[in-house]
Each structure stands twice: as structure tokens, then as C-alpha cells.
Amino acid sequence: MNAKRMPWPAWIAGAVLLLLLSGCAGGLRTETILIPDQPETVPDTGSGHAFDVNTIYRLPGMEEFNVSSWRWMASDMLARLSWGRGGWESIDRYASPYEKPEKLLKLEGYPLEFSDVSPNGRYFAHLAPGNGDQHHSTLTLVSIPEGVKTEVNSPYLLPRSAARELTWSSNSRFVSSFYMDEQGGIGIAVYDAELGELITYMMPDQNKSSLLHSVKLSAEGDGAIVVRSEPGKLTSFVLGLWKDGRFVSEYEHSLHENGGVEWLDPNRVVFAGTDGTLFVYDRRNGDLSVLMDQSGAFALSADRQYIAYSTDEATIDVAKLQGNNLLNKTTVYHGLIADELAWSPDKSALLVQGRKPYEAPSVVAPAVAAEEPLPAPSQRDLFGQQAIIIAFKSNK
């Protein structure tokens, strides 16, 4: 059988290449590296449509006068606080399909102060002034559903220049708040629910006109994100660490109006800039990377593999996080201006709390995002509150 002949242009090119290589042996070599004028695209995972919608659950009304926001307790269960004239009254839970409440824990006459449910739904935390002690307050943790109380003597809260709320770390280990000492200094009080210890840190050179919105610790507890604002300035965050009992700033940046900033891992934070650009900041090398343009509220899954975010078109989009890239970006709901987003613990569902547009939003059919046109922003009703759960098919 005759061998297949190589076309002569390829034969000549091969001979020239061999001559060049042999003639250059032992001497200088010249290499040409071709650099594309466009950045390389990240290949698709090949797994098909990563975020197929299975079911949309519309949650009971958001009666803001007597209930708190929704919180996940488990992958198919939500919790919500309710209160009356005497303060907090009960914690209710809603099992799928989230229609009827079940009284989970009765709270006997708690005054209305700093309160929240941990991200894992295991604790209700509450901070109230101490009995007749103007310099101290009482931090109370109530286990859910057992109702076991743990009370901790804490520095007094700062009602005028700090938000009246407690903030949990993403792994539900640390709960933190601001306080003011007897000399007027501002500090951060951190309770470690795992070790049962309270630690305080001072904030040096704090502008007395600043309003402190929140302080959120990293999962390891070695750093914190402080969100604050000053008169006439944009809301910003300060990323810092603890050093000799003090909070030391490492990095600062202004924020989008929703104030979104979150720990991605011990060294990186994700935040929405003033124009809605979603950034990733790496504290190890000071690198600032862009994830995407024009986002609003956002939320990371517990394992930091997925992100959900709102857009200016009142859509809810989801994507997979890979390095500093977003893969399989998918619109899963159209017709809600999200204020809060939260993934279920197993990332099988997304909780969305926000405001519906002036016209009623169309419900997304399974695996299909609604395509109804939206009214102009000036026509949107900013007062209609709505909460939904978007449940995904188990194909991720």
C-alpha cells in the first residue's frame, strides 16, 4: 500500500523548521508568542442548564408591623419572628410548602431591641439594656427549638450612632454589635457561640458623626467588615483585622445603595460598588477584580459556589462562581426588585424578599423566566412587599 503523501507546502514548512532548529542548536533561539487581542473565554461546564426552576412558592404576606424578615432554618423550612405590644412574642416556622405557621418557641415579653435568627436557624439572639445598669446590656441566646437560654453580660449598646441590630457570621459562630464604653469610645463586641466567650475590640479614631450600620466577622473570626456612612458621603465598608485588642483598617470602598458586602473566603470579600459593579477584593495582594456590571442585592451560597443577584430590570439572576468568573448565568425570576436574597443551606432553593413593580409580576413557569415587559422605574410601587422561594431542580 502506498503511503499517503504530505502536501508539498506542509513538507517544505517542516523541512525549513528542521533546518532552523538544527542551525540554532547551541545558540540563541528566537520564539514568537501569539497573544490574542481578546481575553480568553471561560469554557462552559458542559453540564447543561445549571439552574432549572422547579417550583415557585409565594410566601404569606409581609405584614411589616408585626413580623420580621424570613430566615432559613433548614433546606425546606423557614423561621420568622412576630411581636406585639410587649415586645417579641414568638418564633414561628413554616415547612414546605410554607403556607401555615407552627409556633416553634414562645418569647416571654422580650423588649424590642437588637434581635435576629442565626443563618443556620439554631439560635435567636437578643440584646437588651441591663437591669438598671447604664454601662452594660444583656446578650441572650435562645437555642431553637429547645428554648435553652444563655445570658451574657455585655458592654452597653450605642443607640444614637449605630444600627439597632445584631449581625451573625455566615457560619453562625459569631454574633457581633457595636457598643460605647464609659469614656465615650466606640468598640465592637463579639460573642463566640462555639466557645461561649465574649470579646471586645476598640475602634480607634472613629468619626463621631458616622453612622455604624453593621459589623460582620469572617468565619474564622480573625477579621471583620464594618459598614458605615457619614453625613454628605456615600455608604462605605471598612475591611479590617484585630491587632492588640483593636480593629485596624486594611481596605475601604464605597458601596451601592443596598450596602451589599460579604466574605467570599478568609482573604476575599465580594461587594457591589456605587454604580452596581460587583467586585472581588483580595486582601493578600490588594487585587480588585470585576465579577460583573450592574448588580444590586446579592447573596452567596453557604459553600460559596453560587451567587444570586438582582438587576436593574427587576430580575433575579443566579450563576456559578469559579475563581473570578461567573458561569451559567441564568435569569430565574422576572418582576421583583430584591432587597434581600438568601440561599437555602443545601443551595437547592433561593429566598427572595423585596418590592414588586407597579404592575403585578408574572410568575415564572418551571425552568422558564418570565418575559413580561416591566414598567418604567418611576412607575414602580416601592411599597408593595413580597417574598418568594425559587426551588431548583436537583441537577447541579
Side-chain angles (χ1 to χ4, degrees):
M1 182 181 291
N2 293 331
K4 186 177 181 180
R5 296 180 58 188
M6 181 185 298
W8 72 265
W11 180 87
I12 293 175
V16 172
L17 177 60
L18 289 173
L19 288 172
L20 288 173
L21 292 177
S22 61
C24 295
L28 295 175
R29 295 182 58 184
T30 300
E31 293 183 316
T32 301
I33 302 174
L34 298 179
I35 302 176
D37 55 1
Q38 297 293 331
E40 291 186 1
T41 58
V42 179
D44 198 345
T45 60
S47 60
H49 204 275
F51 299 99
D52 289 333
V53 177
N54 186 38
T55 309
I56 301 289
Y57 298 97
R58 193 174 301 277
L59 300 179
M62 298 284 288
E63 305 95 346
E64 294 186 25
F65 64 92
N66 68 348
V67 294
S68 70
S69 298
W70 297 92
R71 294 288 184 266
W72 287 106
M73 281 193 64
S75 297
D76 59 352
M77 189 175 297
L78 296 174
R80 189 162 65 163
L81 295 165
S82 62
W83 66 84
R85 295 182 179 179
W88 295 112
E89 291 186 342
S90 66
I91 300 177
D92 301 332
R93 66 180 173 190
Y94 292 72
S96 178
Y98 316 105
E99 295 175 349
K100 296 181 180 180
E102 176 189 352
K103 293 295 181 184
L104 182 65
L105 189 64
K106 185 172 178 58
L107 304 173
E108 298 177 357
Y110 285 109
L112 187 58
E113 290 290 347
F114 295 19
S115 306
D116 202 4
V117 176
S118 62
N120 63 5
R122 288 289 296 119
Y123 295 102
F124 167 68
H126 169 76
L127 186 65
N131 295 326
D133 188 345
Q134 61 178 339
H135 301 303
H136 291 86
S137 58
T138 300
L139 173 66
T140 303
L141 262 68
V142 183
S143 64
I144 302 174
E146 300 85 1
V148 177
K149 295 181 183 179
T150 301
E151 294 187 348
V152 182
N153 195 33
S154 176
Y156 191 51
L157 52 119
L158 185 62
R160 292 186 178 179
S161 59
R164 304 175 70 82
E165 67 180 61
L166 293 164
T167 306
W168 287 92
S169 59
S170 60
N171 61 351
S172 302
R173 176 176 176 178
F174 303 100
V175 60
S176 51
S177 63
F178 300 103
Y179 74 93
M180 183 171 63
D181 64 15
E182 298 181 22
Q183 290 74 40
I186 299 174
I188 298 170
V190 178
Y191 180 73
D192 186 333
E194 183 176 300
L195 299 180
E197 297 177 351
L198 181 77
I199 307 173
T200 59
Y201 304 93
M202 294 306 298
M203 295 183 62
D205 305 322
Q206 176 66 25
N207 187 336
K208 296 299 188 295
S209 64
S210 296
L211 176 62
L212 301 170
H213 297 276
S214 65
V215 51
K216 187 167 190 175
L217 268 68
S218 63
E220 291 74 20
D222 58 352
I225 299 171
V226 173
V227 178
R228 67 182 184 184
S229 61
E230 297 181 17
K233 296 183 180 181
L234 297 171
T235 300
S236 63
F237 77 91
V238 180
L239 172 65
L241 48 74
W242 317 124
K243 186 175 182 180
D244 299 326
R246 302 175 80 82
F247 177 77
V248 179
S249 173
E250 292 181 290
Y251 178 74
E252 300 185 25
H253 201 286
S254 55
L255 285 172
H256 188 264
E257 59 183 359
N258 70 1
V261 56
E262 184 58 85
W263 289 97
L264 181 57
D265 57 40
N267 296 304
R268 296 181 298 164
V269 295
V270 180
F271 66 93
T274 53
D275 63 350
T277 301
L278 202 61
F279 292 102
V280 175
Y281 174 76
D282 194 325
R283 65 198 302 193
R284 294 168 296 189
N285 53 21
D287 182 49
L288 186 65
S289 305
V290 175
L291 273 180
M292 64 164 295
D293 298 326
Q294 300 303 316
S295 69
F298 71 91
L300 303 174
S301 61
D303 60 6
R304 290 346 195 205
Q305 291 187 11
Y306 297 100
I307 186 171
Y309 54 92
S310 63
T311 69
D312 290 343
E313 289 75 31
T315 68
I316 308 299
D317 293 1
V318 292
K320 178 178 175 58
L321 273 170
Q322 184 169 304
N324 288 333
N325 298 289
L326 299 181
L327 307 182
N328 299 321
K329 290 189 284 187
T330 306
T331 296
V332 296
Y333 194 82
H334 194 184
L336 194 62
I337 306 169
D339 295 320
E340 289 186 61
L341 298 164
W343 290 88
S344 63
D346 66 350
K347 63 194 179 196
S348 65
L350 183 68
L351 168 63
V352 183
Q353 300 176 87
R355 299 157 285 146
K356 53 189 176 181
Y358 180 76
E359 295 179 358
S362 56
V363 177
V364 181
V368 180
E371 298 295 342
E372 294 294 330
L374 291 170
S378 60
Q379 294 178 302
R380 292 175 182 173
D381 176 13
L382 301 182
F383 300 100
Q385 294 295 310
Q386 186 177 345
I388 61 172
I389 287 179
I390 304 170
F392 301 106
K393 295 179 181 178
S394 56
N395 60 347
K396 296 189 287 298

